[in-house]
PDB file of all heavy atoms in Angstrom:
ATOM      1  N   LYS A   8      73.450 223.172 104.270  1.00  0.00           N
ATOM      2  CA  LYS A   8      72.096 223.241 103.702  1.00  0.00           C
ATOM      3  C   LYS A   8      71.432 221.871 103.751  1.00  0.00           C
ATOM      4  O   LYS A   8      70.238 221.748 104.040  1.00  0.00           O
ATOM      5  CB  LYS A   8      72.155 223.748 102.262  1.00  0.00           C
ATOM      6  CG  LYS A   8      72.411 225.230 102.115  1.00  0.00           C
ATOM      7  CD  LYS A   8      72.458 225.626 100.644  1.00  0.00           C
ATOM      8  CE  LYS A   8      72.792 227.098 100.478  1.00  0.00           C
ATOM      9  NZ  LYS A   8      72.903 227.456  99.032  1.00  0.00           N
ATOM     10  N   ALA A   9      72.203 220.836 103.448  1.00  0.00           N
ATOM     11  CA  ALA A   9      71.665 219.477 103.487  1.00  0.00           C
ATOM     12  C   ALA A   9      71.294 219.079 104.908  1.00  0.00           C
ATOM     13  O   ALA A   9      70.277 218.397 105.128  1.00  0.00           O
ATOM     14  CB  ALA A   9      72.680 218.495 102.904  1.00  0.00           C
ATOM     15  N   ILE A  10      72.098 219.498 105.889  1.00  0.00           N
ATOM     16  CA  ILE A  10      71.770 219.220 107.290  1.00  0.00           C
ATOM     17  C   ILE A  10      70.465 219.909 107.668  1.00  0.00           C
ATOM     18  O   ILE A  10      69.567 219.307 108.283  1.00  0.00           O
ATOM     19  CB  ILE A  10      72.918 219.670 108.210  1.00  0.00           C
ATOM     20  CG1 ILE A  10      74.170 218.815 107.965  1.00  0.00           C
ATOM     21  CG2 ILE A  10      72.497 219.591 109.684  1.00  0.00           C
ATOM     22  CD1 ILE A  10      75.418 219.332 108.686  1.00  0.00           C
ATOM     23  N   ASP A  11      70.326 221.182 107.316  1.00  0.00           N
ATOM     24  CA  ASP A  11      69.097 221.918 107.605  1.00  0.00           C
ATOM     25  C   ASP A  11      67.890 221.247 106.963  1.00  0.00           C
ATOM     26  O   ASP A  11      66.823 221.118 107.566  1.00  0.00           O
ATOM     27  CB  ASP A  11      69.202 223.357 107.090  1.00  0.00           C
ATOM     28  CG  ASP A  11      70.184 224.213 107.875  1.00  0.00           C
ATOM     29  OD1 ASP A  11      70.536 223.814 109.004  1.00  0.00           O
ATOM     30  OD2 ASP A  11      70.591 225.271 107.358  1.00  0.00           O
ATOM     31  N   HIS A  12      68.064 220.846 105.706  1.00  0.00           N
ATOM     32  CA  HIS A  12      66.971 220.221 104.945  1.00  0.00           C
ATOM     33  C   HIS A  12      66.543 218.900 105.588  1.00  0.00           C
ATOM     34  O   HIS A  12      65.349 218.614 105.719  1.00  0.00           O
ATOM     35  CB  HIS A  12      67.441 220.008 103.509  1.00  0.00           C
ATOM     36  CG  HIS A  12      66.360 219.680 102.543  1.00  0.00           C
ATOM     37  ND1 HIS A  12      65.158 220.355 102.495  1.00  0.00           N
ATOM     38  CD2 HIS A  12      66.300 218.733 101.558  1.00  0.00           C
ATOM     39  CE1 HIS A  12      64.406 219.843 101.521  1.00  0.00           C
ATOM     40  NE2 HIS A  12      65.065 218.854 100.951  1.00  0.00           N
ATOM     41  N   ALA A  13      67.528 218.085 106.001  1.00  0.00           N
ATOM     42  CA  ALA A  13      67.212 216.816 106.655  1.00  0.00           C
ATOM     43  C   ALA A  13      66.543 217.045 108.004  1.00  0.00           C
ATOM     44  O   ALA A  13      65.578 216.352 108.362  1.00  0.00           O
ATOM     45  CB  ALA A  13      68.492 215.991 106.831  1.00  0.00           C
ATOM     46  N   ALA A  14      67.033 218.024 108.752  1.00  0.00           N
ATOM     47  CA  ALA A  14      66.457 218.304 110.072  1.00  0.00           C
ATOM     48  C   ALA A  14      65.001 218.747 109.959  1.00  0.00           C
ATOM     49  O   ALA A  14      64.159 218.356 110.775  1.00  0.00           O
ATOM     50  CB  ALA A  14      67.278 219.378 110.782  1.00  0.00           C
ATOM     51  N   ALA A  15      64.697 219.559 108.947  1.00  0.00           N
ATOM     52  CA  ALA A  15      63.332 220.055 108.772  1.00  0.00           C
ATOM     53  C   ALA A  15      62.357 218.935 108.460  1.00  0.00           C
ATOM     54  O   ALA A  15      61.153 219.064 108.716  1.00  0.00           O
ATOM     55  CB  ALA A  15      63.295 221.106 107.664  1.00  0.00           C
ATOM     56  N   ARG A  16      62.873 217.839 107.914  1.00  0.00           N
ATOM     57  CA  ARG A  16      62.005 216.726 107.508  1.00  0.00           C
ATOM     58  C   ARG A  16      62.258 215.462 108.310  1.00  0.00           C
ATOM     59  O   ARG A  16      61.790 214.393 107.949  1.00  0.00           O
ATOM     60  CB  ARG A  16      62.185 216.461 106.010  1.00  0.00           C
ATOM     61  CG  ARG A  16      61.553 217.569 105.181  1.00  0.00           C
ATOM     62  CD  ARG A  16      62.147 217.675 103.798  1.00  0.00           C
ATOM     63  NE  ARG A  16      61.483 218.742 103.041  1.00  0.00           N
ATOM     64  CZ  ARG A  16      61.722 220.043 103.224  1.00  0.00           C
ATOM     65  NH1 ARG A  16      62.595 220.421 104.140  1.00  0.00           N
ATOM     66  NH2 ARG A  16      61.081 220.948 102.520  1.00  0.00           N
ATOM     67  N   GLN A  17      63.012 215.591 109.384  1.00  0.00           N
ATOM     68  CA  GLN A  17      63.330 214.454 110.253  1.00  0.00           C
ATOM     69  C   GLN A  17      63.869 213.284 109.435  1.00  0.00           C
ATOM     70  O   GLN A  17      63.474 212.126 109.616  1.00  0.00           O
ATOM     71  CB  GLN A  17      62.093 214.043 111.067  1.00  0.00           C
ATOM     72  CG  GLN A  17      61.615 215.151 111.995  1.00  0.00           C
ATOM     73  CD  GLN A  17      60.454 214.736 112.851  1.00  0.00           C
ATOM     74  OE1 GLN A  17      59.689 213.838 112.512  1.00  0.00           O
ATOM     75  NE2 GLN A  17      60.322 215.382 113.998  1.00  0.00           N
ATOM     76  N   ALA A  18      64.779 213.600 108.541  1.00  0.00           N
ATOM     77  CA  ALA A  18      65.336 212.606 107.628  1.00  0.00           C
ATOM     78  C   ALA A  18      66.716 212.144 108.068  1.00  0.00           C
ATOM     79  O   ALA A  18      67.436 212.860 108.776  1.00  0.00           O
ATOM     80  CB  ALA A  18      65.416 213.188 106.216  1.00  0.00           C
ATOM     81  N   THR A  19      67.078 210.967 107.621  1.00  0.00           N
ATOM     82  CA  THR A  19      68.458 210.498 107.735  1.00  0.00           C
ATOM     83  C   THR A  19      69.259 211.132 106.603  1.00  0.00           C
ATOM     84  O   THR A  19      68.815 211.149 105.454  1.00  0.00           O
ATOM     85  CB  THR A  19      68.517 208.964 107.622  1.00  0.00           C
ATOM     86  OG1 THR A  19      67.820 208.382 108.731  1.00  0.00           O
ATOM     87  CG2 THR A  19      69.960 208.464 107.620  1.00  0.00           C
ATOM     88  N   LEU A  20      70.426 211.653 106.918  1.00  0.00           N
ATOM     89  CA  LEU A  20      71.287 212.260 105.904  1.00  0.00           C
ATOM     90  C   LEU A  20      72.312 211.238 105.431  1.00  0.00           C
ATOM     91  O   LEU A  20      73.093 210.715 106.228  1.00  0.00           O
ATOM     92  CB  LEU A  20      72.001 213.485 106.472  1.00  0.00           C
ATOM     93  CG  LEU A  20      72.988 214.182 105.520  1.00  0.00           C
ATOM     94  CD1 LEU A  20      72.280 214.690 104.274  1.00  0.00           C
ATOM     95  CD2 LEU A  20      73.709 215.319 106.230  1.00  0.00           C
ATOM     96  N   VAL A  21      72.290 210.946 104.138  1.00  0.00           N
ATOM     97  CA  VAL A  21      73.275 210.066 103.513  1.00  0.00           C
ATOM     98  C   VAL A  21      74.238 210.970 102.744  1.00  0.00           C
ATOM     99  O   VAL A  21      73.839 211.629 101.774  1.00  0.00           O
ATOM    100  CB  VAL A  21      72.610 209.049 102.569  1.00  0.00           C
ATOM    101  CG1 VAL A  21      73.657 208.105 101.974  1.00  0.00           C
ATOM    102  CG2 VAL A  21      71.545 208.242 103.324  1.00  0.00           C
ATOM    103  N   LEU A  22      75.474 211.028 103.193  1.00  0.00           N
ATOM    104  CA  LEU A  22      76.465 211.946 102.636  1.00  0.00           C
ATOM    105  C   LEU A  22      77.636 211.155 102.064  1.00  0.00           C
ATOM    106  O   LEU A  22      78.194 210.287 102.742  1.00  0.00           O
ATOM    107  CB  LEU A  22      76.967 212.885 103.734  1.00  0.00           C
ATOM    108  CG  LEU A  22      78.096 213.856 103.369  1.00  0.00           C
ATOM    109  CD1 LEU A  22      77.625 214.877 102.336  1.00  0.00           C
ATOM    110  CD2 LEU A  22      78.613 214.557 104.626  1.00  0.00           C
ATOM    111  N   ALA A  23      78.000 211.439 100.820  1.00  0.00           N
ATOM    112  CA  ALA A  23      79.158 210.797 100.202  1.00  0.00           C
ATOM    113  C   ALA A  23      80.131 211.863  99.729  1.00  0.00           C
ATOM    114  O   ALA A  23      79.733 212.815  99.057  1.00  0.00           O
ATOM    115  CB  ALA A  23      78.729 209.911  99.037  1.00  0.00           C
ATOM    116  N   LEU A  24      81.399 211.693 100.090  1.00  0.00           N
ATOM    117  CA  LEU A  24      82.463 212.612  99.693  1.00  0.00           C
ATOM    118  C   LEU A  24      83.493 211.836  98.878  1.00  0.00           C
ATOM    119  O   LEU A  24      84.094 210.876  99.384  1.00  0.00           O
ATOM    120  CB  LEU A  24      83.121 213.240 100.917  1.00  0.00           C
ATOM    121  CG  LEU A  24      82.209 214.045 101.849  1.00  0.00           C
ATOM    122  CD1 LEU A  24      82.979 214.499 103.085  1.00  0.00           C
ATOM    123  CD2 LEU A  24      81.595 215.241 101.137  1.00  0.00           C
ATOM    124  N   LEU A  25      83.693 212.235  97.629  1.00  0.00           N
ATOM    125  CA  LEU A  25      84.607 211.545  96.730  1.00  0.00           C
ATOM    126  C   LEU A  25      85.664 212.521  96.228  1.00  0.00           C
ATOM    127  O   LEU A  25      85.315 213.622  95.776  1.00  0.00           O
ATOM    128  CB  LEU A  25      83.866 210.976  95.515  1.00  0.00           C
ATOM    129  CG  LEU A  25      82.959 209.753  95.677  1.00  0.00           C
ATOM    130  CD1 LEU A  25      81.744 210.053  96.539  1.00  0.00           C
ATOM    131  CD2 LEU A  25      82.497 209.261  94.303  1.00  0.00           C
ATOM    132  N   GLY A  26      86.920 212.126  96.293  1.00  0.00           N
ATOM    133  CA  GLY A  26      87.977 212.991  95.782  1.00  0.00           C
ATOM    134  C   GLY A  26      89.264 212.818  96.553  1.00  0.00           C
ATOM    135  O   GLY A  26      89.585 211.727  97.025  1.00  0.00           O
ATOM    136  N   HIS A  27      90.002 213.905  96.689  1.00  0.00           N
ATOM    137  CA  HIS A  27      91.272 213.885  97.407  1.00  0.00           C
ATOM    138  C   HIS A  27      91.071 214.283  98.874  1.00  0.00           C
ATOM    139  O   HIS A  27      90.207 215.113  99.193  1.00  0.00           O
ATOM    140  CB  HIS A  27      92.257 214.876  96.782  1.00  0.00           C
ATOM    141  CG  HIS A  27      92.763 214.444  95.441  1.00  0.00           C
ATOM    142  ND1 HIS A  27      93.635 213.401  95.274  1.00  0.00           N
ATOM    143  CD2 HIS A  27      92.511 214.931  94.194  1.00  0.00           C
ATOM    144  CE1 HIS A  27      93.917 213.259  93.987  1.00  0.00           C
ATOM    145  NE2 HIS A  27      93.248 214.168  93.315  1.00  0.00           N
ATOM    146  N   GLY A  28      91.879 213.686  99.744  1.00  0.00           N
ATOM    147  CA  GLY A  28      91.848 214.055 101.153  1.00  0.00           C
ATOM    148  C   GLY A  28      93.245 213.995 101.731  1.00  0.00           C
ATOM    149  O   GLY A  28      94.113 213.270 101.240  1.00  0.00           O
ATOM    150  N   PHE A  29      93.484 214.766 102.800  1.00  0.00           N
ATOM    151  CA  PHE A  29      94.795 214.737 103.439  1.00  0.00           C
ATOM    152  C   PHE A  29      94.654 214.840 104.946  1.00  0.00           C
ATOM    153  O   PHE A  29      93.610 215.243 105.477  1.00  0.00           O
ATOM    154  CB  PHE A  29      95.695 215.865 102.919  1.00  0.00           C
ATOM    155  CG  PHE A  29      95.288 217.258 103.344  1.00  0.00           C
ATOM    156  CD1 PHE A  29      95.625 217.759 104.593  1.00  0.00           C
ATOM    157  CD2 PHE A  29      94.571 218.077 102.477  1.00  0.00           C
ATOM    158  CE1 PHE A  29      95.264 219.042 104.984  1.00  0.00           C
ATOM    159  CE2 PHE A  29      94.211 219.367 102.850  1.00  0.00           C
ATOM    160  CZ  PHE A  29      94.551 219.851 104.109  1.00  0.00           C
ATOM    161  N   ILE A  30      95.715 214.437 105.636  1.00  0.00           N
ATOM    162  CA  ILE A  30      95.858 214.724 107.060  1.00  0.00           C
ATOM    163  C   ILE A  30      97.069 215.642 107.189  1.00  0.00           C
ATOM    164  O   ILE A  30      97.978 215.596 106.364  1.00  0.00           O
ATOM    165  CB  ILE A  30      96.037 213.447 107.900  1.00  0.00           C
ATOM    166  CG1 ILE A  30      97.264 212.660 107.435  1.00  0.00           C
ATOM    167  CG2 ILE A  30      94.797 212.585 107.851  1.00  0.00           C
ATOM    168  CD1 ILE A  30      97.619 211.480 108.330  1.00  0.00           C
ATOM    169  N   ALA A  31      97.067 216.503 108.189  1.00  0.00           N
ATOM    170  CA  ALA A  31      98.158 217.455 108.374  1.00  0.00           C
ATOM    171  C   ALA A  31      99.166 216.893 109.374  1.00  0.00           C
ATOM    172  O   ALA A  31      98.863 216.756 110.567  1.00  0.00           O
ATOM    173  CB  ALA A  31      97.622 218.793 108.867  1.00  0.00           C
ATOM    174  N   GLY A  32     100.339 216.522 108.879  1.00  0.00           N
ATOM    175  CA  GLY A  32     101.363 215.966 109.758  1.00  0.00           C
ATOM    176  C   GLY A  32     100.897 214.675 110.400  1.00  0.00           C
ATOM    177  O   GLY A  32     100.417 213.766 109.722  1.00  0.00           O
ATOM    178  N   ASP A  33     101.012 214.599 111.721  1.00  0.00           N
ATOM    179  CA  ASP A  33     100.604 213.404 112.454  1.00  0.00           C
ATOM    180  C   ASP A  33      99.191 213.506 113.013  1.00  0.00           C
ATOM    181  O   ASP A  33      98.722 212.593 113.706  1.00  0.00           O
ATOM    182  CB  ASP A  33     101.573 213.143 113.609  1.00  0.00           C
ATOM    183  CG  ASP A  33     102.971 212.789 113.113  1.00  0.00           C
ATOM    184  OD1 ASP A  33     103.068 212.131 112.053  1.00  0.00           O
ATOM    185  OD2 ASP A  33     103.948 213.176 113.783  1.00  0.00           O
ATOM    186  N   ASP A  34      98.507 214.609 112.743  1.00  0.00           N
ATOM    187  CA  ASP A  34      97.123 214.784 113.185  1.00  0.00           C
ATOM    188  C   ASP A  34      96.230 213.927 112.285  1.00  0.00           C
ATOM    189  O   ASP A  34      96.201 214.127 111.068  1.00  0.00           O
ATOM    190  CB  ASP A  34      96.731 216.254 113.077  1.00  0.00           C
ATOM    191  CG  ASP A  34      95.315 216.516 113.564  1.00  0.00           C
ATOM    192  OD1 ASP A  34      94.566 215.543 113.821  1.00  0.00           O
ATOM    193  OD2 ASP A  34      94.933 217.695 113.671  1.00  0.00           O
ATOM    194  N   PRO A  35      95.479 212.952 112.837  1.00  0.00           N
ATOM    195  CA  PRO A  35      94.705 212.045 112.004  1.00  0.00           C
ATOM    196  C   PRO A  35      93.408 212.624 111.439  1.00  0.00           C
ATOM    197  O   PRO A  35      92.638 211.915 110.801  1.00  0.00           O
ATOM    198  CB  PRO A  35      94.411 210.878 112.949  1.00  0.00           C
ATOM    199  CG  PRO A  35      94.370 211.514 114.309  1.00  0.00           C
ATOM    200  CD  PRO A  35      95.419 212.594 114.272  1.00  0.00           C
ATOM    201  N   THR A  36      93.149 213.906 111.663  1.00  0.00           N
ATOM    202  CA  THR A  36      91.921 214.523 111.178  1.00  0.00           C
ATOM    203  C   THR A  36      91.917 214.585 109.645  1.00  0.00           C
ATOM    204  O   THR A  36      92.870 215.056 109.029  1.00  0.00           O
ATOM    205  CB  THR A  36      91.780 215.953 111.731  1.00  0.00           C
ATOM    206  OG1 THR A  36      91.769 215.895 113.157  1.00  0.00           O
ATOM    207  CG2 THR A  36      90.493 216.606 111.244  1.00  0.00           C
ATOM    208  N   LEU A  37      90.828 214.143 109.032  1.00  0.00           N
ATOM    209  CA  LEU A  37      90.723 214.145 107.580  1.00  0.00           C
ATOM    210  C   LEU A  37      90.233 215.495 107.068  1.00  0.00           C
ATOM    211  O   LEU A  37      89.238 216.039 107.571  1.00  0.00           O
ATOM    212  CB  LEU A  37      89.751 213.064 107.108  1.00  0.00           C
ATOM    213  CG  LEU A  37      89.440 213.067 105.600  1.00  0.00           C
ATOM    214  CD1 LEU A  37      90.676 212.710 104.780  1.00  0.00           C
ATOM    215  CD2 LEU A  37      88.281 212.134 105.281  1.00  0.00           C
ATOM    216  N   TYR A  38      90.901 215.992 106.027  1.00  0.00           N
ATOM    217  CA  TYR A  38      90.463 217.196 105.325  1.00  0.00           C
ATOM    218  C   TYR A  38      90.134 216.827 103.876  1.00  0.00           C
ATOM    219  O   TYR A  38      90.972 216.259 103.167  1.00  0.00           O
ATOM    220  CB  TYR A  38      91.546 218.277 105.366  1.00  0.00           C
ATOM    221  CG  TYR A  38      91.706 218.886 106.740  1.00  0.00           C
ATOM    222  CD1 TYR A  38      92.539 218.288 107.677  1.00  0.00           C
ATOM    223  CD2 TYR A  38      90.995 220.027 107.114  1.00  0.00           C
ATOM    224  CE1 TYR A  38      92.672 218.823 108.954  1.00  0.00           C
ATOM    225  CE2 TYR A  38      91.120 220.560 108.382  1.00  0.00           C
ATOM    226  CZ  TYR A  38      91.958 219.968 109.292  1.00  0.00           C
ATOM    227  OH  TYR A  38      92.079 220.488 110.555  1.00  0.00           O
ATOM    228  N   PHE A  39      88.923 217.134 103.467  1.00  0.00           N
ATOM    229  CA  PHE A  39      88.461 216.885 102.099  1.00  0.00           C
ATOM    230  C   PHE A  39      88.823 218.097 101.245  1.00  0.00           C
ATOM    231  O   PHE A  39      88.578 219.243 101.639  1.00  0.00           O
ATOM    232  CB  PHE A  39      86.938 216.683 102.120  1.00  0.00           C
ATOM    233  CG  PHE A  39      86.308 216.446 100.776  1.00  0.00           C
ATOM    234  CD1 PHE A  39      86.628 215.332 100.019  1.00  0.00           C
ATOM    235  CD2 PHE A  39      85.359 217.338 100.292  1.00  0.00           C
ATOM    236  CE1 PHE A  39      86.016 215.107  98.792  1.00  0.00           C
ATOM    237  CE2 PHE A  39      84.749 217.121  99.071  1.00  0.00           C
ATOM    238  CZ  PHE A  39      85.074 216.000  98.309  1.00  0.00           C
ATOM    239  N   MET A  40      89.395 217.842 100.074  1.00  0.00           N
ATOM    240  CA  MET A  40      89.966 218.922  99.278  1.00  0.00           C
ATOM    241  C   MET A  40      88.990 219.442  98.220  1.00  0.00           C
ATOM    242  O   MET A  40      88.427 218.670  97.440  1.00  0.00           O
ATOM    243  CB  MET A  40      91.254 218.452  98.619  1.00  0.00           C
ATOM    244  CG  MET A  40      92.294 217.978  99.628  1.00  0.00           C
ATOM    245  SD  MET A  40      93.846 217.441  98.863  1.00  0.00           S
ATOM    246  CE  MET A  40      94.605 219.038  98.504  1.00  0.00           C
ATOM    247  N   ALA A  41      88.797 220.749  98.210  1.00  0.00           N
ATOM    248  CA  ALA A  41      88.036 221.430  97.160  1.00  0.00           C
ATOM    249  C   ALA A  41      88.963 221.601  95.946  1.00  0.00           C
ATOM    250  O   ALA A  41      90.155 221.290  96.018  1.00  0.00           O
ATOM    251  CB  ALA A  41      87.557 222.788  97.672  1.00  0.00           C
ATOM    252  N   PRO A  42      88.456 222.080  94.806  1.00  0.00           N
ATOM    253  CA  PRO A  42      89.296 222.182  93.606  1.00  0.00           C
ATOM    254  C   PRO A  42      90.589 222.963  93.790  1.00  0.00           C
ATOM    255  O   PRO A  42      91.598 222.623  93.168  1.00  0.00           O
ATOM    256  CB  PRO A  42      88.362 222.864  92.605  1.00  0.00           C
ATOM    257  CG  PRO A  42      87.008 222.373  92.989  1.00  0.00           C
ATOM    258  CD  PRO A  42      87.033 222.339  94.486  1.00  0.00           C
ATOM    259  N   ASP A  43      90.594 223.989  94.618  1.00  0.00           N
ATOM    260  CA  ASP A  43      91.793 224.810  94.771  1.00  0.00           C
ATOM    261  C   ASP A  43      92.482 224.637  96.120  1.00  0.00           C
ATOM    262  O   ASP A  43      93.309 225.466  96.510  1.00  0.00           O
ATOM    263  CB  ASP A  43      91.443 226.288  94.564  1.00  0.00           C
ATOM    264  CG  ASP A  43      90.913 226.559  93.163  1.00  0.00           C
ATOM    265  OD1 ASP A  43      91.380 225.884  92.227  1.00  0.00           O
ATOM    266  OD2 ASP A  43      90.037 227.424  93.016  1.00  0.00           O
ATOM    267  N   SER A  44      92.145 223.564  96.849  1.00  0.00           N
ATOM    268  CA  SER A  44      92.791 223.325  98.146  1.00  0.00           C
ATOM    269  C   SER A  44      94.268 222.994  97.956  1.00  0.00           C
ATOM    270  O   SER A  44      94.693 222.532  96.889  1.00  0.00           O
ATOM    271  CB  SER A  44      92.107 222.158  98.873  1.00  0.00           C
ATOM    272  OG  SER A  44      90.769 222.461  99.203  1.00  0.00           O
ATOM    273  N   ALA A  45      95.042 223.208  99.006  1.00  0.00           N
ATOM    274  CA  ALA A  45      96.464 222.861  98.999  1.00  0.00           C
ATOM    275  C   ALA A  45      96.712 221.815 100.077  1.00  0.00           C
ATOM    276  O   ALA A  45      96.205 221.931 101.198  1.00  0.00           O
ATOM    277  CB  ALA A  45      97.316 224.099  99.260  1.00  0.00           C
TER     278      ALA A  45
END
C-alpha cells in the first residue's frame, strides 16, 4: 500500500523495519519476523 501511495505521488519511500530477523541456513536473504513468525 505504501509503494502504491508513493508511486501515485511520485514520492520517495522511506521504509524502516524494526524487530527480529533471520536468515535460513546459509542463504543470506533476510526475513523480517511478524508477531507469530517462526
